[in-house]
Amino acid sequence: RGAIPRVLFSIGIGSVSSTIAEVLGLSARSVGLSTQCSSGLDALGQATRLIADGEVDMAVCGGSEAPLHKFPLVELRAADLTPSTAEMPERIARPFDLWRTTGVVSEGACMFVLEAEESPRSGYSYISGYCGANDPADDLCGGMYDAGRMAMAEARVRPSQMEAINAWGPGHNEVDRGEVRAMARLFGPVLKEIPAVSIKGAIGTPLGAAPAIQVGSAALAQRFSMIPPTVNWDFPDPSCGLNLSNRCRALSHATTLVNAHGLGAVNSCMVLQRC
């Protein structure tokens, strides 16, 4: 008697994109991806490949997440993936900072319109490389090295040609350190010369929406020749040797690596190049 049949048609991830297409009156192919916190980046990567393969002419894609609910917050707190206190909430997320403890879960969304190179409309940035990879056993964020290496290979970009890194950097002790290890392996000694940023100190970590928001910030940074600040990065951690700043940096750059990491040992990387 308590059954609600419409639940069958509304709880699936795919129903979100199909409902949007229906509301907009589009005759479109709808796809929903769920690859943990890498979802927003994977949606963009998969849409790019559909366009490159000629399967679609245009894609509306991105990431959205609204996790501020008892589930999954209770479980995230039990796993030390959310703070144990609400004191000074604006200071808790401290990416790559010496006194960081864990990330801050938030909500958000970011959507894009992707088109082929032949589009008559001017774009912000061009997705020239994308790849996902899983972590090897007992190597947190180790798969980010493989994802970054293959994304850069697809983009035909050498480590010395990378001009900015939009890091995952949630402000979690081990995840931040694992990402730096992967980047150090990927870029070697040139890593310290590449301007890097984590936007998580400003917006928290909206899970699957986070990498889509990172891509948005990276595209805007390329358009306006600015590297945004890493908010709350006040005490550099010597073990996290990225070229960070807690201030905006005016810097013309055309090539950016965007990183994402999620539970389940998933990683994705994308190379953006200014149009």
Side-chain angles (χ1 to χ4, degrees):
R1 287 179 299 186
I4 305 174
R6 69 172 181 270
V7 170
L8 295 173
F9 304 96
S10 61
I11 61 172
I13 296 295
S15 67
V16 177
S17 54
S18 62
T19 300
I20 292 172
E22 181 181 352
V23 170
L24 296 178
L26 303 176
S27 177
R29 175 185 177 185
S30 62
V31 179
L33 295 177
S34 179
T35 49
Q36 307 290 11
C37 290
S38 296
S39 298
L41 202 64
D42 289 337
L44 287 162
Q46 295 301 325
T48 300
R49 289 177 174 171
L50 289 174
I51 293 173
D53 292 341
E55 295 187 42
V56 299
D57 297 319
M58 176 187 293
V60 179
C61 56
S64 176
E65 193 92 57
L68 300 187
H69 190 268
K70 183 176 180 179
F71 172 80
L73 290 182
V74 170
E75 287 73 18
L76 288 168
R77 170 81 285 276
D80 289 328
L81 294 174
T82 57
S84 59
T85 177
E87 294 182 13
M88 300 179 66
E90 73 282 1
R91 302 283 294 167
I92 293 176
R94 307 178 66 87
F96 305 110
D97 188 86
L98 182 63
W99 302 111
R100 69 190 183 279
T101 53
T102 189
V104 176
V105 176
S106 61
E107 296 185 337
C110 191
M111 303 299 291
F112 302 83
V113 176
L114 302 187
E115 295 183 278
E117 296 174 81
E118 297 78 17
S119 170
R121 288 168 285 273
S122 60
Y124 277 61
S125 299
Y126 178 76
I127 297 174
S128 58
Y130 157 77
C131 190
N134 284 75
D135 292 340
D138 302 320
D139 186 9
L140 181 63
C141 293
M144 195 178 288
Y145 162 76
D146 294 315
R149 177 176 58 84
M150 290 186 282
M152 290 170 59
E154 184 177 44
R156 299 183 180 181
V157 171
R158 297 178 183 274
S160 59
Q161 296 173 306
M162 191 60 64
E163 297 177 288
I165 298 172
N166 196 296
W168 178 244
H172 184 279
N173 261 314
E174 296 304 322
V175 176
D176 285 10
R177 194 172 290 116
E179 180 175 13
V180 173
R181 284 196 304 269
M183 293 298 98
R185 184 181 174 195
L186 182 62
F187 291 102
V190 302
L191 179 62
K192 294 184 178 181
E193 302 172 11
I194 305 171
V197 59
S198 168
I199 62 173
K200 305 299 172 51
I203 68 166
T205 304
L207 305 185
I213 300 173
Q214 289 174 236
V215 171
S217 71
L220 289 169
Q222 291 182 350
R223 168 66 68 92
F224 295 106
S225 298
M226 296 290 291
I227 303 290
T230 300
V231 174
N232 295 331
W233 185 74
D234 298 324
F235 301 94
D237 183 348
S239 68
C240 293
L242 297 179
N243 185 346
L244 300 163
S245 175
N246 57 12
R247 296 178 180 273
C248 283
R249 288 177 279 183
L251 180 67
S252 178
H253 59 289
T255 307
T256 304
L257 179 69
V258 181
N259 295 335
H261 171 80
L263 297 175
V266 295
N267 304 271
S268 294
C269 291
M270 180 171 286
V271 177
L272 287 184
Q273 294 185 288
R274 187 175 59 208
C275 290

